[in-house]
Amino acid sequence: MRLRLLLAPLLVCAALSAALAGCTDEEPTGIEGKKVLRVGVKFDQPGIGQERRDGTFEGFDVDVAEYVAAALGATPEFVRITSDQRERRIRDREVDLVVASYSITPDRRREVNFAGPYIIGHQDIMVREDATDVAGVHDLRGKRLCQAGGSNSWRRVTVELGIKARLVPAATYGECVRMLQAGDLDALTTDDVILAGYALANPDAFRLVNAKFTDEKYGIGLHKDDIGGCEAVNRALTRMYQDGTAARLLARWFRPAGLKTTGHVPQFEGCS
Ligand code: GLU
Protein backbone atom coordinates (compact mmCIF):
# COMPACT_ATOMS: atom_id res chain seq x y z
CA MET A 1 0.00 0.00 0.00
CA ARG A 2 2.73 2.39 1.07
CA LEU A 3 4.70 1.45 -2.01
CA ARG A 4 1.69 2.03 -4.22
CA LEU A 5 1.19 5.45 -2.71
CA LEU A 6 4.78 6.34 -3.41
CA LEU A 7 4.77 4.97 -6.91
CA ALA A 8 1.50 6.47 -8.05
CA PRO A 9 2.75 10.02 -8.58
CA LEU A 10 5.86 8.69 -10.27
CA LEU A 11 3.80 6.69 -12.74
CA VAL A 12 1.59 9.67 -13.49
CA CYS A 13 4.69 11.74 -14.01
CA ALA A 14 6.22 9.16 -16.32
CA ALA A 15 3.08 9.15 -18.42
CA LEU A 16 2.95 12.90 -18.66
CA SER A 17 6.62 13.69 -18.74
CA ALA A 18 6.71 14.16 -22.49
CA ALA A 19 4.03 16.79 -22.23
CA LEU A 20 4.73 18.37 -18.86
CA ALA A 21 8.10 19.88 -18.12
CA GLY A 22 8.85 19.97 -14.41
CA CYS A 23 7.10 16.72 -13.61
CA THR A 24 10.36 14.76 -13.68
CA ASP A 25 13.93 15.59 -12.67
CA GLU A 26 14.95 15.81 -16.31
CA GLU A 27 17.70 18.30 -17.13
CA PRO A 28 16.37 21.41 -18.85
CA THR A 29 17.29 21.49 -22.56
CA GLY A 30 18.28 25.17 -22.52
CA ILE A 31 21.06 26.54 -20.36
CA GLU A 32 18.79 28.36 -17.90
CA GLY A 33 18.22 26.42 -14.71
CA LYS A 34 21.16 24.04 -15.26
CA LYS A 35 23.43 23.66 -12.27
CA VAL A 36 26.46 22.63 -14.33
CA LEU A 37 27.23 24.11 -17.74
CA ARG A 38 29.61 22.26 -20.04
CA VAL A 39 31.70 24.90 -21.76
CA GLY A 40 33.91 24.23 -24.79
CA VAL A 41 37.14 26.24 -24.57
CA LYS A 42 40.42 26.28 -26.45
CA PHE A 43 43.35 24.54 -24.77
CA ASP A 44 46.40 25.67 -26.73
CA GLN A 45 45.87 29.41 -27.17
CA PRO A 46 47.73 31.31 -24.43
CA GLY A 47 45.76 34.33 -23.15
CA ILE A 48 42.51 32.98 -24.64
CA GLY A 49 42.06 29.36 -23.58
CA GLN A 50 44.95 27.22 -22.39
CA GLU A 51 45.02 23.98 -20.47
CA ARG A 52 47.29 23.99 -17.44
CA ARG A 53 49.35 20.97 -16.46
CA ASP A 54 46.77 20.00 -13.84
CA GLY A 55 43.98 19.84 -16.43
CA THR A 56 42.33 23.14 -15.47
CA PHE A 57 42.05 26.00 -17.97
CA GLU A 58 43.00 29.68 -18.04
CA GLY A 59 42.63 32.68 -20.33
CA PHE A 60 40.27 35.49 -21.24
CA ASP A 61 37.62 33.17 -22.68
CA VAL A 62 37.82 30.96 -19.60
CA ASP A 63 37.29 33.93 -17.27
CA VAL A 64 34.38 35.20 -19.39
CA ALA A 65 32.80 31.74 -19.22
CA GLU A 66 33.29 31.62 -15.42
CA TYR A 67 31.57 34.98 -15.08
CA VAL A 68 28.66 34.07 -17.34
CA ALA A 69 28.12 30.70 -15.66
CA ALA A 70 28.12 32.32 -12.21
CA ALA A 71 25.63 34.96 -13.41
CA LEU A 72 23.36 32.10 -14.50
CA GLY A 73 23.74 30.41 -11.12
CA ALA A 74 25.77 27.52 -12.55
CA THR A 75 29.21 25.99 -12.27
CA PRO A 76 31.20 25.67 -15.49
CA GLU A 77 32.72 22.35 -16.49
CA PHE A 78 35.37 23.08 -19.09
CA VAL A 79 36.06 20.75 -22.00
CA ARG A 80 38.62 21.08 -24.78
CA ILE A 81 37.23 22.04 -28.14
CA THR A 82 38.84 22.63 -31.54
CA SER A 83 37.60 25.12 -34.13
CA ASP A 84 36.18 22.41 -36.38
CA GLN A 85 34.10 20.82 -33.57
CA ARG A 86 32.24 23.91 -32.42
CA GLU A 87 28.99 23.83 -34.43
CA ARG A 88 28.57 20.06 -34.25
CA ARG A 89 29.11 19.77 -30.51
CA ILE A 90 26.64 22.58 -29.83
CA ARG A 91 24.10 20.99 -32.17
CA ASP A 92 24.54 17.55 -30.56
CA ARG A 93 24.25 19.15 -27.09
CA GLU A 94 27.65 17.76 -26.07
CA VAL A 95 28.42 21.25 -24.80
CA ASP A 96 26.10 23.94 -23.48
CA LEU A 97 28.27 26.90 -24.38
CA VAL A 98 31.27 27.50 -26.60
CA VAL A 99 33.61 30.29 -25.53
CA ALA A 100 36.52 29.63 -27.85
CA SER A 101 37.69 32.56 -30.00
CA TYR A 102 34.47 31.94 -31.89
CA SER A 103 33.79 34.61 -34.51
CA ILE A 104 30.16 35.31 -35.32
CA THR A 105 29.70 34.69 -39.06
CA PRO A 106 26.54 34.44 -41.19
CA ASP A 107 27.24 30.76 -42.03
CA ARG A 108 27.71 29.76 -38.39
CA ARG A 109 24.68 31.78 -37.38
CA ARG A 110 22.54 29.45 -39.48
CA GLU A 111 23.65 26.53 -37.28
CA VAL A 112 24.03 27.96 -33.78
CA ASN A 113 22.95 30.93 -31.68
CA PHE A 114 25.45 33.58 -30.67
CA ALA A 115 25.34 35.77 -27.60
CA GLY A 116 27.57 38.82 -27.69
CA PRO A 117 29.96 39.74 -29.17
CA TYR A 118 31.93 40.11 -25.95
CA ILE A 119 35.15 41.30 -27.64
CA ILE A 120 36.15 42.37 -31.14
CA GLY A 121 39.52 41.16 -32.39
CA HIS A 122 41.23 41.94 -35.68
CA GLN A 123 42.91 39.46 -37.94
CA ASP A 124 46.66 39.93 -38.18
CA ILE A 125 49.65 37.96 -39.47
CA MET A 126 52.49 36.37 -37.50
CA VAL A 127 55.86 35.52 -39.06
CA ARG A 128 59.19 34.28 -37.76
CA GLU A 129 61.14 37.07 -36.07
CA ASP A 130 63.71 37.26 -38.89
CA ALA A 131 61.22 37.23 -41.81
CA THR A 132 61.25 40.38 -43.95
CA ASP A 133 58.99 39.61 -46.89
CA VAL A 134 55.49 39.89 -45.35
CA ALA A 135 54.32 43.38 -44.45
CA GLY A 136 50.62 43.07 -45.26
CA VAL A 137 47.92 40.64 -46.27
CA HIS A 138 48.64 40.88 -50.03
CA ASP A 139 52.19 39.66 -49.42
CA LEU A 140 50.68 36.27 -48.50
CA ARG A 141 50.35 35.47 -52.21
CA GLY A 142 52.37 32.33 -52.91
CA LYS A 143 53.31 31.94 -49.23
CA ARG A 144 52.76 28.78 -47.19
CA LEU A 145 49.89 29.71 -44.86
CA CYS A 146 48.39 27.63 -42.07
CA GLN A 147 44.87 26.32 -42.63
CA ALA A 148 43.54 25.53 -39.16
CA GLY A 149 40.56 23.18 -39.53
CA GLY A 150 37.13 24.75 -38.95
CA SER A 151 38.59 28.22 -38.60
CA ASN A 152 37.55 31.23 -40.60
CA SER A 153 40.94 32.94 -40.71
CA TRP A 154 42.47 31.30 -43.82
CA ARG A 155 39.10 31.67 -45.57
CA ARG A 156 39.21 35.44 -45.08
CA VAL A 157 42.47 35.52 -47.06
CA THR A 158 42.01 32.94 -49.80
CA VAL A 159 38.21 33.02 -50.27
CA GLU A 160 37.07 36.50 -49.22
CA LEU A 161 40.10 38.45 -50.43
CA GLY A 162 41.02 35.98 -53.20
CA ILE A 163 44.72 36.00 -52.31
CA LYS A 164 46.39 32.88 -53.65
CA ALA A 165 48.32 31.62 -50.65
CA ARG A 166 49.50 28.00 -50.44
CA LEU A 167 47.38 26.47 -47.67
CA VAL A 168 48.99 23.93 -45.35
CA PRO A 169 46.39 22.06 -43.23
CA ALA A 170 46.63 21.76 -39.42
CA ALA A 171 44.21 20.64 -36.72
CA THR A 172 44.73 23.55 -34.31
CA TYR A 173 46.51 26.88 -34.00
CA GLY A 174 48.96 25.26 -31.60
CA GLU A 175 49.98 22.98 -34.46
CA CYS A 176 50.28 25.98 -36.82
CA VAL A 177 52.66 27.65 -34.36
CA ARG A 178 54.87 24.57 -34.17
CA MET A 179 54.98 24.38 -37.97
CA LEU A 180 55.83 28.08 -38.29
CA GLN A 181 58.66 27.72 -35.81
CA ALA A 182 59.98 24.63 -37.60
CA GLY A 183 60.03 26.48 -40.95
CA ASP A 184 57.20 24.44 -42.48
CA LEU A 185 55.11 27.60 -42.95
CA ASP A 186 55.87 31.15 -44.00
CA ALA A 187 53.08 32.82 -42.05
CA LEU A 188 50.21 32.29 -39.67
CA THR A 189 47.15 34.48 -39.89
CA THR A 190 44.38 34.66 -37.31
CA ASP A 191 43.03 37.09 -34.72
CA ASP A 192 45.46 39.48 -33.04
CA VAL A 193 44.26 38.41 -29.59
CA ILE A 194 45.38 34.85 -30.39
CA LEU A 195 48.64 35.72 -32.15
CA ALA A 196 49.65 38.16 -29.40
CA GLY A 197 49.57 35.31 -26.90
CA TYR A 198 51.86 33.16 -29.05
CA ALA A 199 54.26 36.03 -29.69
CA LEU A 200 54.36 36.88 -25.98
CA ALA A 201 55.15 33.25 -25.13
CA ASN A 202 57.93 33.16 -27.79
CA PRO A 203 59.22 36.75 -28.20
CA ASP A 204 62.49 35.63 -29.82
CA ALA A 205 60.76 33.40 -32.34
CA PHE A 206 57.82 35.38 -33.73
CA ARG A 207 56.54 38.85 -34.47
CA LEU A 208 53.19 40.31 -35.56
CA VAL A 209 53.06 42.24 -38.80
CA ASN A 210 50.32 44.58 -37.47
CA ALA A 211 48.14 44.28 -40.56
CA LYS A 212 44.72 44.15 -38.80
CA PHE A 213 42.49 43.60 -41.81
CA THR A 214 39.19 42.31 -40.30
CA ASP A 215 36.81 42.73 -37.36
CA GLU A 216 36.36 39.43 -35.53
CA LYS A 217 33.32 39.56 -33.29
CA TYR A 218 33.72 36.84 -30.67
CA GLY A 219 30.38 35.38 -29.65
CA ILE A 220 29.33 32.77 -27.13
CA GLY A 221 27.86 29.87 -29.07
CA LEU A 222 24.83 27.99 -27.85
CA HIS A 223 22.06 25.83 -29.25
CA LYS A 224 19.98 27.30 -32.06
CA ASP A 225 16.75 26.66 -30.08
CA ASP A 226 17.92 28.35 -26.90
CA ILE A 227 16.91 31.96 -27.48
CA GLY A 228 16.07 32.49 -23.80
CA GLY A 229 19.51 31.20 -22.81
CA CYS A 230 21.16 33.43 -25.38
CA GLU A 231 19.36 36.47 -23.99
CA ALA A 232 20.37 35.49 -20.46
CA VAL A 233 24.02 35.31 -21.57
CA ASN A 234 23.70 38.77 -23.13
CA ARG A 235 22.40 40.14 -19.83
CA ALA A 236 25.41 38.59 -18.07
CA LEU A 237 27.81 40.09 -20.63
CA THR A 238 26.26 43.54 -20.22
CA ARG A 239 26.77 43.27 -16.49
CA MET A 240 30.34 42.06 -17.02
CA TYR A 241 31.09 45.35 -18.78
CA GLN A 242 29.07 47.52 -16.38
CA ASP A 243 30.61 46.22 -13.16
CA GLY A 244 34.20 46.68 -14.35
CA THR A 245 34.99 42.97 -14.75
CA ALA A 246 35.50 43.22 -18.52
CA ALA A 247 38.02 46.06 -18.19
CA ARG A 248 39.91 44.08 -15.55
CA LEU A 249 39.98 40.90 -17.63
CA LEU A 250 41.00 42.70 -20.82
CA ALA A 251 43.88 44.37 -18.99
CA ARG A 252 44.89 41.12 -17.33
CA TRP A 253 45.03 39.00 -20.46
CA PHE A 254 45.89 41.41 -23.28
CA ARG A 255 47.85 44.33 -21.86
CA PRO A 256 51.01 42.25 -21.27
CA ALA A 257 50.98 41.42 -24.99
CA GLY A 258 50.74 45.12 -25.88
CA LEU A 259 47.20 44.98 -27.25
CA LYS A 260 44.98 48.02 -26.88
CA THR A 261 41.44 47.12 -25.90
CA THR A 262 38.49 49.31 -25.01
CA GLY A 263 36.31 48.77 -21.96
CA HIS A 264 33.11 49.57 -23.90
CA VAL A 265 30.53 46.85 -24.29
CA PRO A 266 30.42 45.85 -27.97
CA GLN A 267 27.15 46.31 -29.87
CA PHE A 268 25.27 43.01 -29.48
CA GLU A 269 24.05 41.31 -32.62
CA GLY A 270 20.88 39.88 -31.06
CA CYS A 271 19.81 36.28 -30.55
CA SER A 272 18.01 34.54 -33.39
N1 GLU B 1 38.05 33.70 -34.74
C1 GLU B 1 38.35 32.85 -35.84
C2 GLU B 1 37.27 31.80 -36.03
O1 GLU B 1 36.38 31.68 -35.25
C3 GLU B 1 39.71 32.20 -35.71
C4 GLU B 1 40.01 31.56 -34.39
C5 GLU B 1 39.46 30.17 -34.20
O2 GLU B 1 39.26 29.43 -35.15
O3 GLU B 1 39.22 29.83 -33.04
O4 GLU B 1 37.29 31.11 -37.02
Side-chain angles (χ1 to χ4, degrees):
M1 178 62 188
R2 235 187 107 119
L3 192 65
R4 267 208 358 238
L5 275 178
L6 280 172
L7 281 176
L10 281 179
L11 291 173
V12 173
C13 259
L16 295 178
S17 64
L20 285 178
C23 201
T24 67
D25 284 341
E26 264 176 42
E27 273 274 291
T29 50
I31 58 167
E32 285 173 293
K34 284 198 174 180
K35 286 284 150 253
V36 175
L37 289 174
R38 277 173 71 78
V39 186
V41 289
K42 292 295 181 77
F43 48 90
D44 61 350
Q45 295 180 187
I48 297 281
Q50 189 171 36
E51 192 168 4
R52 301 190 189 100
R53 280 175 196 281
D54 64 0
T56 61
F57 294 83
E58 65 173 20
F60 181 72
D61 280 352
V62 177
D63 284 351
V64 169
E66 295 261 13
Y67 184 95
V68 167
L72 289 158
T75 309
E77 183 186 298
F78 292 110
V79 295
R80 291 165 150 239
I81 201 158
T82 54
S83 293
D84 67 336
Q85 297 171 344
R86 293 178 293 200
E87 290 83 36
R88 182 192 62 74
R89 294 187 75 182
I90 291 172
R91 204 183 321 119
D92 294 351
R93 299 189 191 278
E94 288 177 17
V95 292
D96 297 301
L97 298 173
V98 166
V99 192
S101 54
Y102 199 10
S103 296
I104 302 172
T105 69
D107 282 354
R108 291 172 181 166
R109 211 179 239 303
R110 277 191 274 280
E111 296 190 59
V112 302
N113 232 316
F114 281 108
Y118 58 94
I119 185 176
I120 300 178
H122 307 281
Q123 190 162 336
D124 200 348
I125 301 163
M126 189 168 85
V127 291
R128 281 185 299 280
E129 175 58 33
D130 56 359
T132 52
D133 51 353
V134 178
V137 66
H138 291 280
D139 298 327
L140 295 176
R141 191 161 161 254
K143 297 283 191 302
R144 293 169 303 166
L145 191 67
C146 204
Q147 181 183 30
S151 177
N152 209 38
S153 303
W154 59 272
R155 201 176 281 280
R156 298 251 193 241
V157 175
T158 59
V159 180
E160 291 179 17
L161 293 173
I163 296 166
K164 292 193 175 11
R166 288 156 57 197
L167 294 174
V168 181
T172 63
Y173 280 104
E175 204 177 308
C176 294
V177 171
R178 286 190 288 279
M179 289 202 288
L180 181 63
Q181 189 152 26
D184 298 330
L185 291 172
D186 301 309
L188 170 54
T189 181
T190 188
D191 314 328
D192 53 357
V193 286
I194 299 175
L195 295 176
Y198 290 131
L200 184 69
N202 301 278
D204 299 333
F206 306 123
R207 81 187 155 77
L208 268 61
V209 164
N210 207 13
K212 311 229 192 228
F213 54 96
T214 70
D215 282 345
E216 299 300 321
K217 298 175 183 172
Y218 281 13
I220 297 189
L222 68 176
H223 199 277
K224 190 81 188 131
D225 297 341
D226 196 7
I227 306 229
C230 179
E231 285 165 352
V233 173
N234 274 343
R235 285 193 293 277
L237 291 175
T238 303
R239 218 175 77 195
M240 184 181 83
Y241 271 87
Q242 285 171 345
D243 71 9
T245 303
R248 186 170 54 75
L249 296 181
L250 289 165
R252 172 176 179 204
W253 291 108
F254 301 127
R255 201 177 284 158
L259 284 180
K260 286 193 188 68
T261 50
T262 71
H264 302 301
V265 57
Q267 176 76 45
F268 288 165
E269 304 243 312
C271 304
S272 56

